[in-house]
Amino acid sequence: MQEQEICDWLKAYLDEKRYIHTLGVRDSAVMLADRYGADVDKARLAGLLHDCAKSLSKDNMVCKIREAGYALEHEIFQSEALMHGIAGAVIARQVFGIEDPEILSAVECHTTGKRGMSLLDKIIYLADLIEPNRNYPGVDELRDAAVEDLDKAVLMGLKFGIEHVLVTNRYLHPRTIEAWNDMLKAEKNVGTGNLCCCDKLTNDI
Ligand SMILES: [Fe+2]
Ligand SMILES: [Fe+2]
């Protein structure tokens, strides 16, 4: 499917604000892919598709995820925001014929992160947070970090997300904790035996 056809589909299914956000994520993903040597076409596609399930109802998302044979972990039911990444990967495959596992992974984990994030996973995770229409305290700092050091920026983004979830008293998905611990371990280049991630997390927040 050509990009224009994908955009037409997205424009029809997403509200205007979400559609504009989607184009912003596409552009930021392309910028980051170019900067860090990732596949620009995959970044463009994953950026465009990352929120393609955002307008579905919770029941509809559950149906699509079940039909596609995904294991619906108990945790996923805690939040539609968490569910739309997985449902998005299902739609990317079913509607747009995407079979590339890197693109599907980046769409799937863009809300939670996960352990062992690929370069494309990190790019889409960050592009979602820094696209030009985003406006929240700290976003400029995160934009600067994103072009300086991708891994540090992902850690910063995860920290923003975790802090926000805790402050608003909402469910924190285990994959986000795993992503944080994994990225922190890589950043500090130490084994788990040398770092108590729980203590670090507690101290940082
Ligand atoms: Fe999203
Ligand atoms: Fe998004």
Side-chain angles (χ1 to χ4, degrees), residues 18 21-22 25 47 50-51 54 84 110-111 124 127-129 131 134:
R18 182 66 48 182
H21 161 72
T22 291
V25 173
H50 82 288
D51 270 347
K54 194 72 181 177
H84 80 268
H110 84 268
T111 52
I124 299 303
D128 191 29
L129 294 177
E131 63 94 1
R134 288 284 201 195

